[in-house]
Amino acid sequence: MIRAAVLCLSALLLGCSNSQKIDPSRQVGPNPLLPKINEPVLLPRTVVPAVVGWKRGETPTVPPGFRVEAMATSLASPRNVYALPNGDILAVLALKESKEPVERLKNPFFDLIFGFAHSASQVGPTNRIVLLRDSNGDGKPELQSVLLDHLNSPFGVVLVGNQLYVAETDKIVRYPFTPGQTQIASPGQKLVDLPAGLINHHWTKSLTASPDGSKLYVGVGSNSNAGERGPEAETNRAAIWEVDAKTGGFSVFASGLRNPNGLNFYPGSNVLWAVVNERDELGNNLVPDYLTSIRPKGFYGWPWSYYGQHVDPRVRPQHPELVARAIMPDYALTSHVAPLGLAFYTSTSFPALFRGGAFVGEHGSWNRAELNGYKVAFIRFAGGRPVGKPMTFVSGFLNSAGKIRGRPVGLTVDRTGALIIADDVGNAVWRVSYSGR
């Protein structure tokens, strides 16, 4: 009843937000089609399917020759996964624990709408890291244990030597850890505080380490959609930080990135890559989310411009000198797919086509009339750069009626070369292996 009333209200308030039909295939690659900005409406177009979850026997869909199976189920909102060198998989379970204060008419409306998209049944405690041990690599863990508990909305995790770094929403904590352990009893040591607070719009903090392990890189999303909360709310946000792994000293490595996630170095290089969630409320086909390499001290436009030097007229005051510096991303993923996971494939168990390419976890749209994302995409690389069109690699997260079974988030590749997927709405961790020609 409440859902029907909200959807009815939204239909009255949304107006005719950017209704131009554009084939999503024209919004992928290095030069996406970018339509004209329409006049803003009172509330942006909002289409969020109901959540139904996975029924017994249902799984995502993968290409012929591949096999997908549940590695773990009944987990409370697994948001990220990380493969340890001994074969263990860490599943990071997390939920945002507080709502933003009501500053605009849109806030309670969005809270209710987003609740529909994450309303899978609660299956147990969250904000913890669970270890899955599959010693023989058959995809069926013989051990599941709680490695760390009572965390503050964790997301990023990376192992450097015998130190496990965990990015919670408000800090990075370092724990002594040796692969093979199934629990961490140490309280850990805070390395550095991260922007959080009462208003914590993008709360996930992606994390990786430099190839030599001396530096950490953490994604800190913006505190707003397009800077509407003012510059003070965005201090050191919409950025990727570089953090000294020993001292915690940090600097802003790159900025103008609305919500950078999936931080990873391209294999065999010192080039950092990320997937970025761009701004909303400009219509169905603006702005394309993207995959890009990250230049040291690079500026990528947010909030003053998008996709390079395309000015966002909503942002005041304008800063043309900053727009002139804005870097165009490497590869568009189409509008509103909400990419949150990135994994480069370096194993040999998948066919040669996949080696060196990128898997992207697309959590799925809300600010679009026709649903977009809700899949794991694959993008081929050549010479260390993305090429060609993306391939839908894992789908079926929406059922035939367009309702949500699950939503892919973080990705990793296990010791056997299988792709591991965190599904936060389906409360599952999926494993995709290759068994055919």
Side-chain angles (χ1 to χ4, degrees):
M1 186 70 176
I2 294 176
R3 178 183 176 87
V6 170
L7 294 179
C8 182
L9 174 63
S10 67
L12 293 173
L13 296 176
L14 296 180
C16 57
S17 169
N18 195 332
S19 58
Q20 180 181 355
K21 294 284 187 179
I22 291 180
D23 183 345
S25 68
R26 300 180 67 189
Q27 285 201 308
V28 296
N31 295 295
L33 175 63
L34 302 175
K36 180 181 177 181
I37 296 176
N38 283 3
E39 290 297 319
V41 294
L42 179 59
L43 287 174
R45 181 176 295 278
T46 306
V47 179
V48 181
V51 172
V52 295
W54 298 96
K55 296 178 181 178
R56 183 181 296 275
E58 288 183 336
T59 67
T61 302
V62 292
F66 289 87
R67 178 183 180 186
V68 60
E69 54 194 334
M71 192 172 187
T73 58
S74 299
L75 299 176
S77 190
R79 299 281 293 185
N80 206 0
V81 280
Y82 182 77
L84 293 170
N86 70 328
D88 291 345
I89 300 294
L90 302 183
V92 182
L93 319 186
L95 286 173
K96 184 178 180 181
E97 293 188 326
S98 61
K99 293 184 179 181
E100 297 174 13
V102 176
E103 300 171 298
R104 306 176 295 164
L105 169 65
K106 298 176 183 180
N107 289 45
F109 177 81
F110 285 164
D111 286 343
L112 190 56
I113 286 289
F114 294 152
F116 295 147
H118 295 85
S119 58
S121 58
Q122 186 68 28
V123 293
T126 188
N127 291 325
R128 54 172 40 176
I129 298 178
V130 171
L131 182 143
L132 306 173
R133 176 162 294 165
D134 174 20
S135 298
N136 61 5
D138 66 353
K140 300 176 176 60
E142 61 272 10
L143 173 68
Q144 178 174 312
S145 67
V146 178
L147 184 73
L148 287 165
D149 206 353
H150 308 298
L151 303 176
N152 185 14
S153 300
F155 188 72
V157 60
V158 66
L159 179 69
V160 179
N162 287 329
Q163 301 289 328
L164 187 71
Y165 294 86
V166 178
E168 300 179 60
T169 196
D170 61 346
K171 60 186 175 295
I172 298 176
V173 181
R174 176 172 54 204
Y175 298 89
F177 176 76
T178 301
Q181 285 180 239
T182 58
Q183 291 181 318
I184 294 177
S186 165
Q189 177 186 7
K190 182 174 73 173
L191 183 67
V192 63
D193 288 312
L194 298 175
L198 180 62
I199 300 176
N200 192 22
H201 186 62
H202 287 118
W203 59 272
T204 56
K205 305 296 198 296
S206 184
L207 186 67
T208 194
S210 60
D212 67 2
S214 65
K215 304 292 185 183
L216 303 177
Y217 296 85
V218 57
V220 181
S222 69
N223 225 355
S224 62
N225 177 48
E228 64 272 12
R229 287 188 167 118
E232 295 81 9
E234 305 297 347
T235 302
N236 290 329
R237 281 185 171 265
I240 294 173
W241 290 17
E242 182 181 71
V243 180
D244 188 288
K246 291 184 178 179
T247 68
F250 77 92
S251 62
V252 172
F253 183 73
S255 60
L257 299 152
R258 180 173 174 266
N259 187 21
N261 281 280
L263 305 187
N264 264 290
F265 281 85
Y266 191 77
S269 81
N270 289 309
V271 180
L272 180 65
W273 287 76
V275 289
V276 178
N277 289 225
E278 250 292 355
R279 69 203 73 200
D280 298 310
E281 305 181 27
L282 288 178
N284 290 330
N285 303 300
L286 287 176
V287 172
D289 299 324
Y290 57 85
L291 164 70
T292 193
S293 58
I294 304 296
R295 300 184 197 176
K297 303 305 177 184
F299 173 69
Y300 290 81
W302 189 91
W304 295 280
S305 67
Y306 59 87
Y307 224 87
Q309 299 172 7
H310 295 82
V311 173
D312 187 336
R314 301 171 298 177
V315 183
R316 291 288 186 272
Q318 294 283 304
H319 279 281
E321 76 284 2
L322 292 177
V323 172
R325 291 176 41 210
I327 298 169
M328 181 178 288
D330 290 299
Y331 192 95
L333 298 168
T334 78
S335 297
H336 308 304
V337 296
L340 294 174
L342 171 64
F344 291 112
Y345 194 79
T346 58
S347 183
T348 58
S349 66
F350 284 12
L353 165 72
F354 294 92
R355 293 169 199 167
F359 291 102
V360 175
E362 298 182 355
H363 199 230
S365 62
W366 65 267
N367 182 209
R368 199 172 191 276
E370 296 178 2
L371 300 177
N372 203 15
Y374 298 97
K375 65 185 178 184
V376 176
F378 173 76
I379 300 158
R380 190 166 62 88
F381 270 55
R385 312 295 299 177
V387 295
K389 298 289 186 181
M391 164 190 178
T392 296
F393 186 69
V394 187
S395 59
F397 293 94
L398 295 175
N399 68 12
S400 59
K403 296 182 178 181
I404 299 175
R405 290 166 166 159
R407 301 182 81 176
V409 197
L411 310 171
T412 192
V413 177
D414 75 9
R415 184 175 53 178
T416 72
L419 180 69
I420 310 298
I421 305 164
D423 173 358
D424 66 342
V425 173
N427 297 320
V429 171
W430 301 102
R431 181 177 186 268
V432 180
S433 57
Y434 183 69
S435 58
R437 295 182 179 178

